[in-house]
Amino acid sequence: PSIGIKISSNIIDYISHNELIDVNKITLFVMIILWSSSILISSLINPIVLFLQGNIADKATHEISRSVMIKSMNFERIGIFEKPEFQDMIQVIQSQAYHRPINLLVTCVGLARDAVMIFSYILLLSHLVPWISIASLIGAYINFRVFSSTQEKVWK
């Protein structure tokens, strides 16, 4: 998104500094193509990320289910399978095997995406007014602390 903002800014600056008659149409066309490409790329990244998240989640779910089965096969006494506590524990593991890894994966990808966006915006803003980038960092840190404490309470 920050690349699209920067290119949009360059297009507006280019048109405003040159009169509409003096605008080099090839330069303007190239800038518009770059702007359109940045929008297209950012639109294509989200489905790719969702596909990769789903693929990794399926593999993680398979691996967790597989390891539960292997561990169950290694029990020497078969009587443990008749205990309700053991059955409850297996049921919880199997029901949570899909949701927990996906939640962790989605959170990590979201944090990485947000970090890239925040730092790219800060780079753009630091050229205009340096104190805005510092205020943005402080705001991002406060947001991170509130989010992490809320998630910690949800986890507990």
Side-chain angles (χ1 to χ4, degrees):
S2 61
I3 292 171
I5 291 171
K6 184 63 178 169
I7 294 172
S8 299
S9 170
N10 288 345
I11 291 171
I12 292 170
D13 288 344
Y14 182 75
I15 291 173
S16 65
H17 290 306
N18 300 321
E19 291 185 22
L20 203 54
I21 299 168
D22 294 337
V23 171
N24 185 348
K25 292 187 179 13
I26 294 173
T27 305
L28 184 61
F29 182 72
V30 168
M31 293 172 89
I32 290 173
I33 292 293
L34 287 173
W35 177 71
S36 301
S37 299
S38 72
I39 291 173
L40 179 67
I41 288 170
S42 75
S43 296
L44 291 176
I45 286 176
N46 194 32
I48 292 170
V49 167
L50 290 175
F51 170 75
L52 291 175
Q53 283 177 350
N55 192 10
I56 291 172
D58 289 343
K59 287 181 181 182
T61 303
H62 172 72
E63 191 59 36
I64 291 170
S65 297
R66 185 175 164 273
S67 66
V68 167
M69 285 189 249
I70 289 173
K71 287 287 185 185
S72 298
M73 287 177 20
N74 290 335
F75 288 130
E76 294 177 9
R77 295 181 304 153
I78 201 160
I80 197 164
F81 289 100
E82 295 177 4
K83 293 183 180 179
E85 300 89 20
F86 181 77
Q87 289 297 326
D88 290 342
M89 187 170 46
I90 293 291
Q91 198 107 38
V92 167
I93 290 172
Q94 287 177 342
S95 68
Q96 297 296 318
Y98 185 70
H99 300 289
R100 296 296 178 176
I102 292 174
N103 289 345
L104 177 64
L105 180 67
V106 168
T107 302
C108 289
V109 168
L111 284 173
R113 182 187 61 232
D114 292 345
V116 167
M117 283 178 36
I118 287 170
F119 287 116
S120 64
Y121 288 147
I122 287 172
L123 283 174
L124 282 175
L125 290 173
S126 65
H127 293 292
L128 299 174
V129 182
W131 66 269
I132 289 178
S133 60
I134 294 169
S136 299
L137 278 175
I138 292 170
Y141 177 74
I142 291 170
N143 187 23
F144 172 74
R145 294 299 299 168
V146 169
F147 177 76
S148 59
S149 68
T150 304
Q151 289 299 318
E152 184 179 345
K153 288 176 186 174
V154 168
W155 176 260
K156 287 180 181 178

